[in-house]
Structures are given as C-alpha cells and as structure tokens.
Amino acid sequence: MGKRDNRVAYMNPIAMARSRGPVQSAGPTIQDYLNRPRPTWEEVKEQLEKKKKGSRALAEFEEKMNENWKKELEKHREKLLSGSESSSKKKEKKKKEKKKSNRVSKDFIFVYIYGLSS
C-alpha cells in the first residue's frame, strides 16, 4: 500500500493578482476627495459664530430647568430644616412599628405551625 499524495500545487498570490488585472475600487477616489466642494472662509466664520451662540430653544430649556431645580432645592431645604427637630421622633416611631410587625409575624407563624389559637 502506497502513501497518499498530500501535495498541493503552490499558487503565487502576487502572480494570481496580476493575472486578474487592475483592481476596481468601490468607493470614492483620492481625486474625488480632493475635488469636493469646500465652504468659503466667510461661511466658516458664520458657522463658528452660530455654534458659539447655540440654539435659543436649548438656552430657554436650560434656564427653565435651572429654575425648577432651584425650587426643588428650596423645598428640600425647608423640609430638612423644619423636620430636623422631629426626625429623631420619627426614627423612634419607625423602630417601634418594626418591632410590632415582627411580633405579629412571629405570632402568626407560631399559631400556624402549632395550631394554637389565642
């Protein structure tokens, strides 16, 4: 039994490319890019001035949002200043409520498991 012939013919990629001929490009050429229409210096200056000014609608929107934000901050400050005295009382109430809710749930579980009624 003879060995199989695993040899493959070598193809020179450069020679193959040359045999195909010149490559057709799909996109614009460098010449097209260089010959494109360009804005004049005056037009460029106008565009820069417009960018510096920005849009009026955006400026108005930002001012309105700033006003709303200031109002919210004032409300929050008032709440904090007025609620600072009673905040410790509120914390105590919350702790008591948590303890009560834990007791109720434990009692319910105990009654459910052992079938006792109180």
Side-chain angles (χ1 to χ4, degrees):
M1 292 192 53
K3 292 184 179 179
R4 282 197 177 145
D5 189 10
N6 291 333
R7 292 178 291 171
V8 179
Y10 175 74
M11 305 270 215
N12 185 348
I14 297 170
M16 289 174 60
R18 284 185 183 151
S19 68
R20 283 191 212 123
V23 179
Q24 297 292 327
S25 64
T29 63
I30 295 171
Q31 246 1 75
D32 294 338
Y33 181 73
L34 292 174
N35 291 334
R36 75 193 187 285
R38 294 185 188 84
T40 63
W41 183 240
E42 288 77 24
E43 291 172 345
V44 171
K45 285 182 182 177
E46 289 175 10
Q47 289 175 355
L48 290 174
E49 287 176 15
K50 284 181 183 177
K51 280 187 180 178
K52 286 180 184 176
K53 288 180 184 176
S55 66
R56 277 185 268 141
L58 180 62
E60 291 172 5
F61 173 75
E62 287 176 348
E63 287 176 18
K64 188 174 181 181
M65 292 303 292
N66 285 337
E67 290 172 8
N68 292 342
W69 181 246
K70 287 177 185 176
K71 288 177 185 176
E72 284 186 37
L73 283 177
E74 288 174 10
K75 286 180 185 177
H76 190 65
R77 283 186 193 129
E78 289 175 7
K79 281 184 182 178
L80 288 176
L81 293 174
S82 65
S84 63
E85 299 168 1
S86 63
S87 63
S88 60
K89 293 179 183 177
K90 288 180 183 177
K91 287 180 183 177
E92 289 177 19
K93 285 183 182 179
K94 285 183 181 178
K95 285 183 182 178
K96 287 181 183 178
E97 287 177 11
K98 280 187 177 180
K99 285 183 181 178
K100 286 181 182 178
S101 66
N102 285 342
R103 282 188 214 149
V104 170
S105 63
K106 287 178 185 175
D107 291 341
F108 178 75
I109 291 170
F110 185 77
V111 169
Y112 180 75
I113 292 173
Y114 295 106
L116 302 173
S117 60
S118 55

